[in-house]
Amino acid sequence: MGANTSQLSELSESQSIRTLIGPDAVSENEPFWNQLISFTFTSPTCSADAKLLEEAVVPLNNPRSGNFGALVRVFLSRTKELKISTECQDQLFIWQAHNALFLVRCLLKVFIREMSEEELHLQFSYQERAPGTYDSICEDLLEELVSNLVHLIVEVPLLDITYNILFEAVTTLLVLLSYQLFHKEVLREGLIYGYLTRGRCLSLTSRLVKTLLYNFIRQEKCPPAAHVLQTQSDGGGLLYGLASGVASGLWSVFTLGGVGSRPGVEQDQNPLPLSSQSLLLLLVLANLTDGADCPNPYRQAVTCFKNTQDSSSIPSPQPHTFQINFNSLYTALYEQQKSDQVTLLLYTLLHQNSNMRTYILSRTDMENLVLPILEILYHVEERNSHHVYMALIILLILTEDDTFNRSIHEVMLKNISWYTERVLTEISLGSLLILVVIRTIQFNMTRTRDKYLHTNCLAALANMSAQFRNLHQYAAQRIIRLVNQQLAKRLCGSNSLSLSLSLSLSLSLSLFALLSKKHNKVLEQATQSLHGPLGADDRSVLPDYAQDLNVIEEVIRMMLEIINSCLSNSLHHNPNLLYALLYKRELFEQFRSHPSFQDIMQNLDTVIGFFSQRLEQAGSDLSVERVQEVIKKGAAALPKERLKKFPELKFKYVEEEQPEDFFIPYVWSLVFNSAVGLCWSSQGIELFSMDSP
């Protein structure tokens, strides 16, 4: 390391590294440190190089030399002049400060993997003193580092020459918080947690959250190396030559998706390292648990910030509030919506920040936000379950608002390229939303069989049902088919029922008969268990019969309620749904005598009977156009008092108790898989399994 080191493979032979990890203390005032932070090797861009770097510094695990603390002080001494250096365009000074922080971060990552927080604190606190002397000023160097990193992020402006050191500051905070990765239980206390939530950083909470949000909003690309360090004179000199070399070498570490990636591949996929890393840090901070004596200040800041255009003079009762440009934030949210972390941010803001939720629901270009969410759900097979959950809950929260439910049927879309099951030349946003949610239910019924997933899908459809307007004929058909064909197919295709029915037969059998067969099978198994022991396989599968039956009956019941809600509240607005209902009316006959559906079938029977009679009066061999004409006239003539009143279908999303048990492992799995320039070995990761999202 230093000016004479250019390859990572030479690290073990580097005199600078030997001095750093050696037993002898080196004062922070020694010229050694300037040499150390003027390294010219290419920073690690693959796991092998990262391993070399980490192995080279592993011996620095004895705090008695105090050299790590000295390195930290070298960095801290430079942070005091960073703002002035930025104003003076002192690129060389900024570059050296960056290199010092880069080394600190690399060392911290090794220490945190190998040490407890208390042992890490020793690396910061040990100082060699002469016998009999006592230092009355006992500084907490670890807190000083955390505080300076936060100050650096919020005070140093984002420019080409400061981009890399700001990125490194954000990354170092992530590394400091990464103790959570190595604990199975959710951490609720700790030194670093205390520094960030109760220490000197507390007063900077709102500024840090605001800065991280603006880093995400700005979507600044990493500047080319030529823009980071430019010659200030014709000669440039030796130091400039070193600076230019290291800038060119370090370029790859900031643009790669992580150690272990192939050079040149991830750069195009992740060209926004500061934006991505800032978002990950924001999510980690916002999901810290509440302390025993104080709530998480970063969550408070996320939940209460306001629009810069909000001229209200009423002071916010919430601490850590600030203002940010909602239009810019909204634009960044829909433009970057394909990643897990951006979807999670949108969920967090919709669920926890009432100001942002009100603003989003007031937008007249809602399709910009909703379409990317629908595309995530449409490609459910390619997404991890957590990402699908977040996208679905976002829809559920949006559908809690009646204005949203009405307005989405007024937005017309053309040629949705990602919807490949059928060519949709023109369709309303509302009808498309219905199609995608129904497709998600079908996928769940045939593949994952996740009760949580289909419950939230049905809740979103139920919230919308009273506001259904002018449904696309394909959407209307899919609603009816979901109640009949797909669920019948699910039952008939079940190997555990031993029905051996073909698809064509499944379409002709009544769903009620299939449900009865399902009941009979469960009864048969239960009866056998009374007369003799079942095989192990039979005993294990018996509860699944009842569970399958309950799930399917719940879906059928809810879909019948959704159809009923639409007919009761907006019958005259949905001729296509009425047409589909009448066309398949024989399929609903099976539900009349089923105890789970008798009450809800009353209104459907009334509607089917009323329109069937009018169609009979209109004559036989009616054309499609004539049937639709009869339906439209009949919709206006049907007395509403003939329809039984049911409670309004309204569902509200509520987080589970102790949501941190879900969100903290999820957020850290995103850091583990997505953080730029960071790579942890899967060995030792306790918080989540390696097959987590």
Side-chain angles (χ1 to χ4, degrees), residues 644-661:
K644 179 182 176 181
K645 292 291 184 182
F646 283 86
E648 183 182 17
L649 283 181
K650 273 296 177 186
F651 295 87
K652 186 175 178 63
Y653 170 71
V654 179
E655 274 188 350
E656 300 281 346
E657 291 185 13
Q658 297 183 311
E660 63 271 15
D661 291 340

Side-chain angles (χ1 to χ4, degrees), residues 582 592 604-614 642:
L582 292 169
R592 290 194 185 101
L604 271 69
D605 278 343
T606 299
V607 171
I608 290 173
F610 176 82
F611 283 95
S612 296
Q613 184 179 16
R614 293 183 75 92
R642 291 179 59 180

Side-chain angles (χ1 to χ4, degrees), residues 255-290:
T255 54
L256 291 175
V259 176
S261 303
R262 287 175 296 161
V265 174
E266 291 290 337
Q267 183 169 335
D268 291 335
Q269 296 177 3
N270 201 337
L272 309 167
L274 180 60
S275 173
S276 301
Q277 213 86 321
S278 295
L279 177 54
L280 288 172
L281 177 58
L282 176 62
L283 292 172
V284 168
L285 292 172
N287 284 281
L288 292 175
T289 59
D290 291 333

Side-chain angles (χ1 to χ4, degrees), residues 225-324:
H227 293 166
V228 177
L229 289 164
Q230 296 176 343
T231 182
Q232 296 179 340
S233 64
D234 291 339
L238 174 62
L239 282 178
Y240 170 73
L242 295 176
S244 179
V246 76
S248 179
L250 287 173
W251 161 246
S252 54
V253 80
F254 299 116
T255 54
L256 291 175
V259 176
S261 303
R262 287 175 296 161
V265 174
E266 291 290 337
Q267 183 169 335
D268 291 335
Q269 296 177 3
N270 201 337
L272 309 167
L274 180 60
S275 173
S276 301
Q277 213 86 321
S278 295
L279 177 54
L280 288 172
L281 177 58
L282 176 62
L283 292 172
V284 168
L285 292 172
N287 284 281
L288 292 175
T289 59
D290 291 333
D293 54 350
C294 65
N296 174 3
Y298 301 97
R299 183 182 296 119
Q300 287 181 315
V302 166
T303 61
C304 67
F305 66 79
K306 297 180 178 180
N307 194 354
T308 51
Q309 297 179 355
D310 183 0
S311 57
S312 172
S313 58
I314 302 175
S316 172
Q318 296 288 340
H320 313 300
T321 188
F322 61 91
Q323 289 185 309
I324 200 167

Side-chain angles (χ1 to χ4, degrees), residues 446-518:
T446 56
R447 303 276 191 88
T448 57
R449 298 165 65 188
D450 185 334
K451 183 175 181 179
Y452 180 86
L453 189 65
H454 82 247
T455 298
N456 283 282
C457 284
L458 292 169
L461 288 178
N463 284 345
M464 296 169 58
S465 60
Q467 307 294 336
F468 283 174
R469 294 289 189 276
N470 300 315
L471 294 186
H472 191 282
Q473 62 179 12
Y474 186 50
Q477 292 168 9
R478 293 303 291 269
I479 290 174
I480 304 302
R481 284 173 59 192
L482 179 61
V483 180
N484 295 280
Q485 176 183 337
Q486 187 64 27
L487 295 177
K489 187 194 303 184
R490 170 70 184 92
L491 282 171
C492 293
S494 175
N495 292 330
S496 64
L497 294 178
S498 303
L499 296 177
S500 301
L501 298 174
S502 66
L503 176 58
S504 59
L505 181 57
S506 75
L507 297 179
S508 62
L509 285 176
S510 72
L511 184 55
F512 178 68
L514 291 169
L515 288 170
S516 298
K517 284 179 178 287
K518 188 90 167 179

Side-chain angles (χ1 to χ4, degrees), residues 235 272 345 393 408 619:
L272 309 167
L345 176 63
I393 293 170
I408 56 175

Side-chain angles (χ1 to χ4, degrees), residues 302-305 326 348-357:
V302 166
T303 61
C304 67
F305 66 79
F326 277 14
T348 302
L349 297 179
L350 273 174
H351 178 55
Q352 299 183 7
N353 190 311
S354 59
N355 301 317
M356 191 67 193
R357 180 170 62 251

